[in-house]
Structures are given as structure tokens and as C-alpha cells.
Amino acid sequence: MSSPPRPVPDPDISGAPFWEAAARHELVLQTCASCGTIRHPPRPMCPACNSMEYTFEQASGRGRIWSWVIAHAPVLPSFAQKVPYNVVVVELDEGVRMVGNLFDVDNDAIEEGMPVTVDFDDVEEGVSLPVWRPQ
Ligand code: ZN
């Protein structure tokens, strides 16, 4: 019996531009067209001014490790070969936080505040996930 496929993002209408940009290896952030507040994850309404208008702007792709966990038990069969793996929360230079995996760093060497830069993991045709590497 083969294992089920790795789950991939299933974007809603607000999040689709983020994932379309990721597939092009570009990191973008939803930005309120009325007041300029940057928000992530994408959602329909600005929490600062209630505007429904927004754009997606190029992000710096840089940030720092804000928090992390090490997964030791696979929660899904498609991740069984990856344990133990890290899941990090990166605080981007733009001030929003993003969840992903940190590559090229031993799990026990991850530190709070570690500077990281974005890269993209091509997980299937047309689907790339933002991941992080040390700066
Ligand atoms: Zn706003």
C-alpha cells in the first residue's frame, strides 16, 4: 500500500495570490490598499481599518526565528520519513510572522533571533512552499 500524498495548500480567494507568487519563487505580503497595514496570513478585511481593498507587495524575504518546535512523531504518514523535523515561526522584517521549515540548520542548533532568508521548496508541479535558510 502506498502512502497518501503530502498535503498541499488549498488557498481561498484571499490567499491565492500568495501561493501563486510562491509558485514563481516570490514572497509577497497582503497589504491594505487603504492604510498600508501588512497582514499575514491573507484575509478579506483589514484588522486596522476594516477596508476590503488590498494588494500584494514584494516582501524582503528576510526575518528572524521567533519560535520553533521539533516534530518527533509524524502526524501524517507522508511525513514519516522526515521526522524529526523542525517547524519554525519567522518574524519577517515587515513585522508579520510566517510558519515554515528551516533548512540547512541542525534542529538542535536553532536559536531564537537567528537571521534567516526565504527560499522555496517545490513540492509538486505548480506548488512551492516558502522555507527558510540561514542568512
Ligand atoms: Zn487598513
Side-chain angles (χ1 to χ4, degrees), residues 32-37 39 46-51:
C32 177
S34 296
C35 76
T37 297
R39 57 192 196 255
C46 177
C49 76
N50 295 340
S51 171

Side-chain angles (χ1 to χ4, degrees), residues 5-68:
R6 176 186 175 137
V8 295
D10 183 17
D12 61 14
I13 193 168
S14 298
F18 175 86
W19 293 108
E20 290 163 5
R24 300 189 304 267
H25 291 192
E26 295 175 14
L27 189 72
V28 297
L29 292 171
Q30 190 186 40
T31 304
C32 177
S34 296
C35 76
T37 297
I38 296 171
R39 57 192 196 255
H40 186 82
R43 48 194 177 272
M45 181 183 286
C46 177
C49 76
N50 295 340
S51 171
M52 302 289 283
E53 305 298 319
Y54 54 80
T55 61
F56 280 83
E57 304 296 333
Q58 189 81 36
S60 68
R62 301 209 296 208
R64 292 180 178 273
I65 298 295
W66 186 77
S67 186
W68 70 98

Side-chain angles (χ1 to χ4, degrees), residues 27-124:
L27 189 72
V28 297
L29 292 171
Q30 190 186 40
T31 304
C32 177
S34 296
C35 76
T37 297
I38 296 171
R39 57 192 196 255
H40 186 82
R43 48 194 177 272
M45 181 183 286
C46 177
C49 76
N50 295 340
S51 171
M52 302 289 283
E53 305 298 319
Y54 54 80
T55 61
F56 280 83
E57 304 296 333
Q58 189 81 36
S60 68
R62 301 209 296 208
R64 292 180 178 273
I65 298 295
W66 186 77
S67 186
W68 70 98
V69 296
I70 307 300
H72 291 275
V75 292
L76 294 171
S78 55
F79 291 99
Q81 302 302 315
K82 297 181 180 294
V83 293
Y85 62 88
N86 66 64
V87 179
V88 299
V89 179
V90 173
E91 186 163 75
L92 276 69
D93 287 358
E94 290 83 356
V96 295
R97 295 177 187 146
M98 194 171 288
V99 176
N101 300 119
L102 178 61
F103 287 4
D104 299 339
V105 178
D106 289 341
N107 287 337
D108 57 6
I110 299 172
E111 294 181 355
E112 182 182 352
M114 177 182 287
V116 294
T117 189
V118 76
D119 196 4
F120 293 89
D121 184 16
D122 300 324
V123 295
E124 67 178 51

